[in-house]
PDB file of all heavy atoms in Angstrom:
ATOM      1  N   PHE V   1     -14.747 -93.371 -20.617  1.00  0.00           N
ATOM      2  CA  PHE V   1     -15.023 -93.343 -19.164  1.00  0.00           C
ATOM      3  C   PHE V   1     -13.862 -93.878 -18.396  1.00  0.00           C
ATOM      4  O   PHE V   1     -13.765 -93.566 -17.081  1.00  0.00           O
ATOM      5  CB  PHE V   1     -16.266 -93.963 -19.000  1.00  0.00           C
ATOM      6  CG  PHE V   1     -17.534 -93.284 -19.323  1.00  0.00           C
ATOM      7  CD1 PHE V   1     -18.273 -93.616 -20.415  1.00  0.00           C
ATOM      8  CD2 PHE V   1     -17.934 -92.076 -18.620  1.00  0.00           C
ATOM      9  CE1 PHE V   1     -19.358 -92.803 -20.773  1.00  0.00           C
ATOM     10  CE2 PHE V   1     -18.901 -91.298 -18.954  1.00  0.00           C
ATOM     11  CZ  PHE V   1     -19.659 -91.681 -20.004  1.00  0.00           C
ATOM     12  N   SER V   2     -13.160 -94.879 -18.764  1.00  0.00           N
ATOM     13  CA  SER V   2     -12.157 -95.431 -18.001  1.00  0.00           C
ATOM     14  C   SER V   2     -10.773 -94.761 -18.003  1.00  0.00           C
ATOM     15  O   SER V   2     -10.038 -94.743 -17.002  1.00  0.00           O
ATOM     16  CB  SER V   2     -11.893 -96.977 -18.408  1.00  0.00           C
ATOM     17  OG  SER V   2     -11.407 -96.908 -19.775  1.00  0.00           O
ATOM     18  N   HIS V   3     -10.450 -93.970 -19.087  1.00  0.00           N
ATOM     19  CA  HIS V   3      -9.155 -93.395 -19.142  1.00  0.00           C
ATOM     20  C   HIS V   3      -9.306 -91.836 -19.479  1.00  0.00           C
ATOM     21  O   HIS V   3      -8.708 -91.082 -18.554  1.00  0.00           O
ATOM     22  CB  HIS V   3      -8.371 -93.948 -20.300  1.00  0.00           C
ATOM     23  CG  HIS V   3      -8.116 -95.425 -20.191  1.00  0.00           C
ATOM     24  ND1 HIS V   3      -7.292 -95.962 -19.166  1.00  0.00           N
ATOM     25  CD2 HIS V   3      -8.450 -96.488 -20.869  1.00  0.00           C
ATOM     26  CE1 HIS V   3      -7.072 -97.350 -19.276  1.00  0.00           C
ATOM     27  NE2 HIS V   3      -7.872 -97.615 -20.315  1.00  0.00           N
ATOM     28  N   TYR V   4      -9.937 -91.405 -20.439  1.00  0.00           N
ATOM     29  CA  TYR V   4     -10.084 -90.014 -20.660  1.00  0.00           C
ATOM     30  C   TYR V   4     -10.688 -89.204 -19.565  1.00  0.00           C
ATOM     31  O   TYR V   4     -10.113 -88.112 -19.243  1.00  0.00           O
ATOM     32  CB  TYR V   4     -10.560 -89.828 -22.031  1.00  0.00           C
ATOM     33  CG  TYR V   4      -9.753 -90.254 -23.264  1.00  0.00           C
ATOM     34  CD1 TYR V   4      -9.782 -91.481 -23.678  1.00  0.00           C
ATOM     35  CD2 TYR V   4      -8.957 -89.294 -23.957  1.00  0.00           C
ATOM     36  CE1 TYR V   4      -8.991 -91.962 -24.800  1.00  0.00           C
ATOM     37  CE2 TYR V   4      -8.238 -89.676 -25.054  1.00  0.00           C
ATOM     38  CZ  TYR V   4      -8.179 -90.950 -25.397  1.00  0.00           C
ATOM     39  OH  TYR V   4      -7.499 -91.424 -26.530  1.00  0.00           O
ATOM     40  N   LEU V   5     -11.832 -89.565 -19.210  1.00  0.00           N
ATOM     41  CA  LEU V   5     -12.627 -88.744 -18.241  1.00  0.00           C
ATOM     42  C   LEU V   5     -11.896 -88.479 -16.941  1.00  0.00           C
ATOM     43  O   LEU V   5     -11.780 -87.394 -16.502  1.00  0.00           O
ATOM     44  CB  LEU V   5     -13.972 -89.446 -18.117  1.00  0.00           C
ATOM     45  CG  LEU V   5     -14.949 -88.670 -17.067  1.00  0.00           C
ATOM     46  CD1 LEU V   5     -15.254 -87.188 -17.584  1.00  0.00           C
ATOM     47  CD2 LEU V   5     -16.250 -89.484 -16.903  1.00  0.00           C
ATOM     48  N   PRO V   6     -11.376 -89.672 -16.350  1.00  0.00           N
ATOM     49  CA  PRO V   6     -10.719 -89.469 -14.944  1.00  0.00           C
ATOM     50  C   PRO V   6      -9.509 -88.582 -15.165  1.00  0.00           C
ATOM     51  O   PRO V   6      -9.260 -87.647 -14.281  1.00  0.00           O
ATOM     52  CB  PRO V   6     -10.416 -90.905 -14.495  1.00  0.00           C
ATOM     53  CG  PRO V   6     -11.247 -91.754 -15.216  1.00  0.00           C
ATOM     54  CD  PRO V   6     -11.557 -91.001 -16.566  1.00  0.00           C
ATOM     55  N   TRP V   7      -8.688 -88.727 -16.224  1.00  0.00           N
ATOM     56  CA  TRP V   7      -7.544 -87.806 -16.487  1.00  0.00           C
ATOM     57  C   TRP V   7      -7.966 -86.456 -16.717  1.00  0.00           C
ATOM     58  O   TRP V   7      -7.260 -85.367 -16.110  1.00  0.00           O
ATOM     59  CB  TRP V   7      -6.744 -88.337 -17.631  1.00  0.00           C
ATOM     60  CG  TRP V   7      -5.746 -87.300 -18.133  1.00  0.00           C
ATOM     61  CD1 TRP V   7      -4.595 -87.086 -17.723  1.00  0.00           C
ATOM     62  CD2 TRP V   7      -5.880 -86.482 -19.284  1.00  0.00           C
ATOM     63  NE1 TRP V   7      -3.940 -86.105 -18.360  1.00  0.00           N
ATOM     64  CE2 TRP V   7      -4.722 -85.760 -19.431  1.00  0.00           C
ATOM     65  CE3 TRP V   7      -6.977 -86.355 -20.184  1.00  0.00           C
ATOM     66  CZ2 TRP V   7      -4.608 -84.868 -20.456  1.00  0.00           C
ATOM     67  CZ3 TRP V   7      -6.853 -85.378 -21.124  1.00  0.00           C
ATOM     68  CH2 TRP V   7      -5.651 -84.638 -21.285  1.00  0.00           C
ATOM     69  N   ALA V   8      -8.839 -86.151 -17.477  1.00  0.00           N
ATOM     70  CA  ALA V   8      -9.319 -84.739 -17.806  1.00  0.00           C
ATOM     71  C   ALA V   8      -9.777 -84.069 -16.701  1.00  0.00           C
ATOM     72  O   ALA V   8      -9.613 -82.893 -16.395  1.00  0.00           O
ATOM     73  CB  ALA V   8     -10.428 -84.842 -18.953  1.00  0.00           C
ATOM     74  N   MET V   9     -10.619 -84.767 -15.670  1.00  0.00           N
ATOM     75  CA  MET V   9     -11.086 -84.164 -14.468  1.00  0.00           C
ATOM     76  C   MET V   9      -9.988 -83.735 -13.618  1.00  0.00           C
ATOM     77  O   MET V   9      -9.853 -82.673 -13.092  1.00  0.00           O
ATOM     78  CB  MET V   9     -11.963 -85.153 -13.829  1.00  0.00           C
ATOM     79  CG  MET V   9     -13.315 -85.421 -14.609  1.00  0.00           C
ATOM     80  SD  MET V   9     -14.465 -84.207 -14.388  1.00  0.00           S
ATOM     81  CE  MET V   9     -14.967 -84.309 -12.694  1.00  0.00           C
ATOM     82  N   GLN V  10      -8.982 -84.570 -13.363  1.00  0.00           N
ATOM     83  CA  GLN V  10      -7.909 -84.376 -12.539  1.00  0.00           C
ATOM     84  C   GLN V  10      -6.889 -83.368 -13.088  1.00  0.00           C
ATOM     85  O   GLN V  10      -6.396 -82.353 -12.353  1.00  0.00           O
ATOM     86  CB  GLN V  10      -7.140 -85.721 -12.181  1.00  0.00           C
ATOM     87  CG  GLN V  10      -6.068 -85.439 -11.100  1.00  0.00           C
ATOM     88  CD  GLN V  10      -5.405 -86.727 -10.748  1.00  0.00           C
ATOM     89  OE1 GLN V  10      -5.580 -87.785 -11.382  1.00  0.00           O
ATOM     90  NE2 GLN V  10      -4.431 -86.716  -9.770  1.00  0.00           N
ATOM     91  N   CYS V  11      -6.561 -83.502 -14.321  1.00  0.00           N
ATOM     92  CA  CYS V  11      -5.606 -82.561 -14.990  1.00  0.00           C
ATOM     93  C   CYS V  11      -6.259 -81.296 -15.093  1.00  0.00           C
ATOM     94  O   CYS V  11      -5.478 -80.154 -14.771  1.00  0.00           O
ATOM     95  CB  CYS V  11      -5.201 -83.030 -16.251  1.00  0.00           C
ATOM     96  SG  CYS V  11      -3.814 -82.182 -17.031  1.00  0.00           S
ATOM     97  N   GLY V  12      -7.412 -81.089 -15.454  1.00  0.00           N
ATOM     98  CA  GLY V  12      -8.042 -79.781 -15.505  1.00  0.00           C
ATOM     99  C   GLY V  12      -8.286 -79.012 -14.167  1.00  0.00           C
ATOM    100  O   GLY V  12      -8.129 -77.868 -14.105  1.00  0.00           O
ATOM    101  N   SER V  13      -8.337 -79.864 -13.101  1.00  0.00           N
ATOM    102  CA  SER V  13      -8.468 -79.270 -11.707  1.00  0.00           C
ATOM    103  C   SER V  13      -7.182 -78.789 -11.248  1.00  0.00           C
ATOM    104  O   SER V  13      -7.055 -77.798 -10.552  1.00  0.00           O
ATOM    105  CB  SER V  13      -8.945 -80.322 -10.845  1.00  0.00           C
ATOM    106  OG  SER V  13     -10.363 -80.630 -11.138  1.00  0.00           O
ATOM    107  N   GLN V  14      -6.008 -79.298 -11.651  1.00  0.00           N
ATOM    108  CA  GLN V  14      -4.774 -79.098 -11.017  1.00  0.00           C
ATOM    109  C   GLN V  14      -3.951 -78.134 -11.842  1.00  0.00           C
ATOM    110  O   GLN V  14      -2.846 -77.627 -11.404  1.00  0.00           O
ATOM    111  CB  GLN V  14      -4.078 -80.479 -10.735  1.00  0.00           C
ATOM    112  CG  GLN V  14      -4.751 -81.226  -9.789  1.00  0.00           C
ATOM    113  CD  GLN V  14      -3.893 -82.590  -9.418  1.00  0.00           C
ATOM    114  OE1 GLN V  14      -2.783 -82.740  -9.756  1.00  0.00           O
ATOM    115  NE2 GLN V  14      -4.606 -83.406  -8.586  1.00  0.00           N
ATOM    116  N   ALA V  15      -4.238 -78.129 -13.126  1.00  0.00           N
ATOM    117  CA  ALA V  15      -3.471 -77.313 -13.996  1.00  0.00           C
ATOM    118  C   ALA V  15      -3.601 -75.812 -13.836  1.00  0.00           C
ATOM    119  O   ALA V  15      -4.554 -75.315 -13.214  1.00  0.00           O
ATOM    120  CB  ALA V  15      -3.773 -77.536 -15.523  1.00  0.00           C
ATOM    121  N   LYS V  16      -2.605 -75.154 -14.146  1.00  0.00           N
ATOM    122  CA  LYS V  16      -2.619 -73.559 -14.103  1.00  0.00           C
ATOM    123  C   LYS V  16      -3.777 -73.148 -15.062  1.00  0.00           C
ATOM    124  O   LYS V  16      -4.100 -73.711 -16.178  1.00  0.00           O
ATOM    125  CB  LYS V  16      -1.368 -73.022 -14.690  1.00  0.00           C
ATOM    126  CG  LYS V  16      -1.207 -71.447 -14.661  1.00  0.00           C
ATOM    127  CD  LYS V  16       0.136 -71.053 -15.255  1.00  0.00           C
ATOM    128  CE  LYS V  16       0.207 -69.451 -15.309  1.00  0.00           C
ATOM    129  NZ  LYS V  16       1.481 -68.973 -15.729  1.00  0.00           N
ATOM    130  N   PRO V  17      -4.525 -71.998 -14.612  1.00  0.00           N
ATOM    131  CA  PRO V  17      -5.545 -71.431 -15.468  1.00  0.00           C
ATOM    132  C   PRO V  17      -5.192 -71.236 -16.900  1.00  0.00           C
ATOM    133  O   PRO V  17      -4.329 -70.370 -17.096  1.00  0.00           O
ATOM    134  CB  PRO V  17      -6.065 -70.295 -14.676  1.00  0.00           C
ATOM    135  CG  PRO V  17      -5.695 -70.560 -13.342  1.00  0.00           C
ATOM    136  CD  PRO V  17      -4.320 -71.301 -13.365  1.00  0.00           C
ATOM    137  N   ILE V  18      -5.739 -71.828 -17.888  1.00  0.00           N
ATOM    138  CA  ILE V  18      -5.438 -71.732 -19.325  1.00  0.00           C
ATOM    139  C   ILE V  18      -5.703 -70.376 -19.793  1.00  0.00           C
ATOM    140  O   ILE V  18      -5.156 -69.859 -20.679  1.00  0.00           O
ATOM    141  CB  ILE V  18      -6.043 -72.783 -20.146  1.00  0.00           C
ATOM    142  CG1 ILE V  18      -7.517 -72.972 -19.932  1.00  0.00           C
ATOM    143  CG2 ILE V  18      -5.412 -74.164 -19.853  1.00  0.00           C
ATOM    144  CD1 ILE V  18      -8.296 -73.922 -20.751  1.00  0.00           C
ATOM    145  N   ILE V  19      -6.804 -69.735 -19.187  1.00  0.00           N
ATOM    146  CA  ILE V  19      -7.200 -68.360 -19.643  1.00  0.00           C
ATOM    147  C   ILE V  19      -6.302 -67.361 -19.500  1.00  0.00           C
ATOM    148  O   ILE V  19      -6.324 -66.229 -20.122  1.00  0.00           O
ATOM    149  CB  ILE V  19      -8.733 -68.054 -19.116  1.00  0.00           C
ATOM    150  CG1 ILE V  19      -9.244 -66.995 -19.978  1.00  0.00           C
ATOM    151  CG2 ILE V  19      -8.506 -67.721 -17.669  1.00  0.00           C
ATOM    152  CD1 ILE V  19      -9.588 -67.253 -21.408  1.00  0.00           C
ATOM    153  N   SER V  20      -5.225 -67.544 -18.524  1.00  0.00           N
ATOM    154  CA  SER V  20      -4.350 -66.457 -18.140  1.00  0.00           C
ATOM    155  C   SER V  20      -3.031 -66.796 -18.740  1.00  0.00           C
ATOM    156  O   SER V  20      -1.973 -66.278 -18.294  1.00  0.00           O
ATOM    157  CB  SER V  20      -4.280 -66.508 -16.518  1.00  0.00           C
ATOM    158  OG  SER V  20      -5.549 -66.096 -15.985  1.00  0.00           O
ATOM    159  N   VAL V  21      -2.926 -67.523 -19.845  1.00  0.00           N
ATOM    160  CA  VAL V  21      -1.701 -67.851 -20.441  1.00  0.00           C
ATOM    161  C   VAL V  21      -1.524 -67.086 -21.743  1.00  0.00           C
ATOM    162  O   VAL V  21      -2.517 -67.080 -22.544  1.00  0.00           O
ATOM    163  CB  VAL V  21      -1.581 -69.348 -20.721  1.00  0.00           C
ATOM    164  CG1 VAL V  21      -0.290 -69.702 -21.615  1.00  0.00           C
ATOM    165  CG2 VAL V  21      -1.555 -70.234 -19.506  1.00  0.00           C
ATOM    166  N   TYR V  22      -0.498 -66.349 -21.966  1.00  0.00           N
ATOM    167  CA  TYR V  22      -0.225 -65.620 -23.136  1.00  0.00           C
ATOM    168  C   TYR V  22       0.475 -66.562 -24.147  1.00  0.00           C
ATOM    169  O   TYR V  22       1.582 -66.600 -24.329  1.00  0.00           O
ATOM    170  CB  TYR V  22       0.614 -64.398 -22.825  1.00  0.00           C
ATOM    171  CG  TYR V  22       0.195 -63.125 -23.596  1.00  0.00           C
ATOM    172  CD1 TYR V  22       0.020 -61.854 -22.832  1.00  0.00           C
ATOM    173  CD2 TYR V  22      -0.021 -63.062 -24.989  1.00  0.00           C
ATOM    174  CE1 TYR V  22      -0.329 -60.712 -23.513  1.00  0.00           C
ATOM    175  CE2 TYR V  22      -0.344 -61.970 -25.618  1.00  0.00           C
ATOM    176  CZ  TYR V  22      -0.579 -60.785 -24.846  1.00  0.00           C
ATOM    177  OH  TYR V  22      -0.985 -59.651 -25.568  1.00  0.00           O
ATOM    178  N   TRP V  23      -0.403 -67.366 -24.805  1.00  0.00           N
ATOM    179  CA  TRP V  23       0.068 -68.525 -25.650  1.00  0.00           C
ATOM    180  C   TRP V  23       1.069 -67.949 -26.846  1.00  0.00           C
ATOM    181  O   TRP V  23       1.960 -68.603 -27.151  1.00  0.00           O
ATOM    182  CB  TRP V  23      -1.126 -69.229 -26.233  1.00  0.00           C
ATOM    183  CG  TRP V  23      -1.980 -69.943 -25.131  1.00  0.00           C
ATOM    184  CD1 TRP V  23      -3.189 -69.621 -24.633  1.00  0.00           C
ATOM    185  CD2 TRP V  23      -1.505 -71.093 -24.454  1.00  0.00           C
ATOM    186  NE1 TRP V  23      -3.677 -70.443 -23.696  1.00  0.00           N
ATOM    187  CE2 TRP V  23      -2.687 -71.399 -23.658  1.00  0.00           C
ATOM    188  CE3 TRP V  23      -0.587 -72.053 -24.570  1.00  0.00           C
ATOM    189  CZ2 TRP V  23      -2.589 -72.538 -22.736  1.00  0.00           C
ATOM    190  CZ3 TRP V  23      -0.583 -73.149 -23.646  1.00  0.00           C
ATOM    191  CH2 TRP V  23      -1.600 -73.283 -22.831  1.00  0.00           C
ATOM    192  N   GLU V  24       0.710 -66.838 -27.276  1.00  0.00           N
ATOM    193  CA  GLU V  24       1.560 -66.200 -28.418  1.00  0.00           C
ATOM    194  C   GLU V  24       2.998 -66.010 -27.937  1.00  0.00           C
ATOM    195  O   GLU V  24       3.921 -66.077 -28.750  1.00  0.00           O
ATOM    196  CB  GLU V  24       1.062 -64.849 -28.795  1.00  0.00           C
ATOM    197  CG  GLU V  24      -0.460 -64.954 -29.324  1.00  0.00           C
ATOM    198  CD  GLU V  24      -1.475 -64.686 -28.255  1.00  0.00           C
ATOM    199  OE1 GLU V  24      -1.196 -65.119 -27.180  1.00  0.00           O
ATOM    200  OE2 GLU V  24      -2.489 -63.988 -28.396  1.00  0.00           O
ATOM    201  N   GLU V  25       3.183 -65.907 -26.765  1.00  0.00           N
ATOM    202  CA  GLU V  25       4.609 -65.765 -26.113  1.00  0.00           C
ATOM    203  C   GLU V  25       5.251 -67.003 -25.766  1.00  0.00           C
ATOM    204  O   GLU V  25       6.431 -66.970 -25.303  1.00  0.00           O
ATOM    205  CB  GLU V  25       4.556 -64.808 -24.919  1.00  0.00           C
ATOM    206  CG  GLU V  25       4.039 -63.399 -25.292  1.00  0.00           C
ATOM    207  CD  GLU V  25       3.863 -62.440 -24.040  1.00  0.00           C
ATOM    208  OE1 GLU V  25       4.143 -62.996 -22.905  1.00  0.00           O
ATOM    209  OE2 GLU V  25       3.541 -61.314 -24.303  1.00  0.00           O
ATOM    210  N   MET V  26       4.581 -68.137 -26.010  1.00  0.00           N
ATOM    211  CA  MET V  26       5.020 -69.384 -25.627  1.00  0.00           C
ATOM    212  C   MET V  26       5.686 -70.148 -26.839  1.00  0.00           C
ATOM    213  O   MET V  26       6.226 -71.241 -26.681  1.00  0.00           O
ATOM    214  CB  MET V  26       4.030 -70.356 -25.094  1.00  0.00           C
ATOM    215  CG  MET V  26       3.399 -69.787 -23.827  1.00  0.00           C
ATOM    216  SD  MET V  26       4.577 -69.923 -22.284  1.00  0.00           S
ATOM    217  CE  MET V  26       3.499 -69.356 -20.995  1.00  0.00           C
ATOM    218  N   LEU V  27       5.431 -69.686 -28.015  1.00  0.00           N
ATOM    219  CA  LEU V  27       5.736 -70.440 -29.356  1.00  0.00           C
ATOM    220  C   LEU V  27       7.102 -70.852 -29.449  1.00  0.00           C
ATOM    221  O   LEU V  27       7.408 -72.053 -29.874  1.00  0.00           O
ATOM    222  CB  LEU V  27       5.307 -69.664 -30.500  1.00  0.00           C
ATOM    223  CG  LEU V  27       3.847 -69.262 -30.534  1.00  0.00           C
ATOM    224  CD1 LEU V  27       3.514 -68.311 -31.651  1.00  0.00           C
ATOM    225  CD2 LEU V  27       2.988 -70.557 -30.721  1.00  0.00           C
ATOM    226  N   GLU V  28       8.059 -70.216 -29.045  1.00  0.00           N
ATOM    227  CA  GLU V  28       9.576 -70.540 -29.053  1.00  0.00           C
ATOM    228  C   GLU V  28      10.073 -71.308 -27.923  1.00  0.00           C
ATOM    229  O   GLU V  28      11.235 -71.651 -27.964  1.00  0.00           O
ATOM    230  CB  GLU V  28      10.380 -69.274 -29.316  1.00  0.00           C
ATOM    231  CG  GLU V  28      10.028 -68.494 -30.624  1.00  0.00           C
ATOM    232  CD  GLU V  28      10.902 -67.291 -30.868  1.00  0.00           C
ATOM    233  OE1 GLU V  28      11.942 -67.050 -30.081  1.00  0.00           O
ATOM    234  OE2 GLU V  28      10.660 -66.562 -31.852  1.00  0.00           O
ATOM    235  N   ARG V  29       9.293 -71.545 -26.966  1.00  0.00           N
ATOM    236  CA  ARG V  29       9.744 -72.247 -25.799  1.00  0.00           C
ATOM    237  C   ARG V  29       9.524 -73.763 -25.936  1.00  0.00           C
ATOM    238  O   ARG V  29       8.769 -74.192 -26.824  1.00  0.00           O
ATOM    239  CB  ARG V  29       8.952 -71.845 -24.571  1.00  0.00           C
ATOM    240  CG  ARG V  29       9.273 -70.395 -24.027  1.00  0.00           C
ATOM    241  CD  ARG V  29       8.523 -69.924 -22.826  1.00  0.00           C
ATOM    242  NE  ARG V  29       8.879 -70.864 -21.795  1.00  0.00           N
ATOM    243  CZ  ARG V  29       8.222 -70.900 -20.577  1.00  0.00           C
ATOM    244  NH1 ARG V  29       7.294 -70.100 -20.347  1.00  0.00           N
ATOM    245  NH2 ARG V  29       8.507 -71.910 -19.637  1.00  0.00           N
ATOM    246  N   SER V  30      10.284 -74.525 -25.204  1.00  0.00           N
ATOM    247  CA  SER V  30      10.192 -76.026 -25.269  1.00  0.00           C
ATOM    248  C   SER V  30       8.720 -76.374 -24.813  1.00  0.00           C
ATOM    249  O   SER V  30       8.280 -75.895 -23.766  1.00  0.00           O
ATOM    250  CB  SER V  30      11.125 -76.589 -24.335  1.00  0.00           C
ATOM    251  OG  SER V  30      10.844 -77.931 -24.092  1.00  0.00           O
ATOM    252  N   VAL V  31       8.070 -77.196 -25.555  1.00  0.00           N
ATOM    253  CA  VAL V  31       6.748 -77.642 -25.273  1.00  0.00           C
ATOM    254  C   VAL V  31       6.768 -78.435 -23.891  1.00  0.00           C
ATOM    255  O   VAL V  31       5.786 -78.347 -23.105  1.00  0.00           O
ATOM    256  CB  VAL V  31       6.204 -78.520 -26.393  1.00  0.00           C
ATOM    257  CG1 VAL V  31       6.866 -79.884 -26.445  1.00  0.00           C
ATOM    258  CG2 VAL V  31       4.680 -78.746 -26.153  1.00  0.00           C
ATOM    259  N   ASP V  32       7.859 -79.102 -23.549  1.00  0.00           N
ATOM    260  CA  ASP V  32       7.925 -79.844 -22.266  1.00  0.00           C
ATOM    261  C   ASP V  32       7.945 -78.833 -21.074  1.00  0.00           C
ATOM    262  O   ASP V  32       7.326 -79.136 -20.078  1.00  0.00           O
ATOM    263  CB  ASP V  32       8.981 -80.772 -22.251  1.00  0.00           C
ATOM    264  CG  ASP V  32       8.942 -82.045 -23.201  1.00  0.00           C
ATOM    265  OD1 ASP V  32       7.637 -82.395 -23.502  1.00  0.00           O
ATOM    266  OD2 ASP V  32       9.951 -82.556 -23.741  1.00  0.00           O
ATOM    267  N   GLU V  33       8.724 -77.853 -21.323  1.00  0.00           N
ATOM    268  CA  GLU V  33       8.781 -76.756 -20.280  1.00  0.00           C
ATOM    269  C   GLU V  33       7.466 -76.084 -20.105  1.00  0.00           C
ATOM    270  O   GLU V  33       7.112 -75.741 -18.832  1.00  0.00           O
ATOM    271  CB  GLU V  33       9.812 -75.754 -20.757  1.00  0.00           C
ATOM    272  CG  GLU V  33      11.344 -76.156 -20.605  1.00  0.00           C
ATOM    273  CD  GLU V  33      12.236 -75.039 -20.920  1.00  0.00           C
ATOM    274  OE1 GLU V  33      11.820 -73.940 -21.361  1.00  0.00           O
ATOM    275  OE2 GLU V  33      13.477 -75.305 -21.082  1.00  0.00           O
TER     276      GLU V  33
END
């Protein structure tokens, strides 16, 4: 409740929609990128 929940709420709200990512095409890219 003090760390994980607030982060997940904010990060989930601001991140690009995960359902529209072609993850199979990301495998060779830098994870940080």
Side-chain angles (χ1 to χ4, degrees):
F1 284 110
S2 62
H3 298 297
Y4 286 84
L5 180 60
W7 164 80
M9 292 284 288
Q10 186 178 6
C11 190
S13 298
Q14 297 182 10
K16 178 181 177 179
I18 54 177
I19 195 64
S20 295
V21 177
Y22 222 127
W23 296 101
E24 300 92 320
E25 298 177 352
M26 299 288 184
L27 296 173
E28 296 185 6
R29 294 184 54 187
S30 162
V31 65
D32 290 331
E33 288 181 1

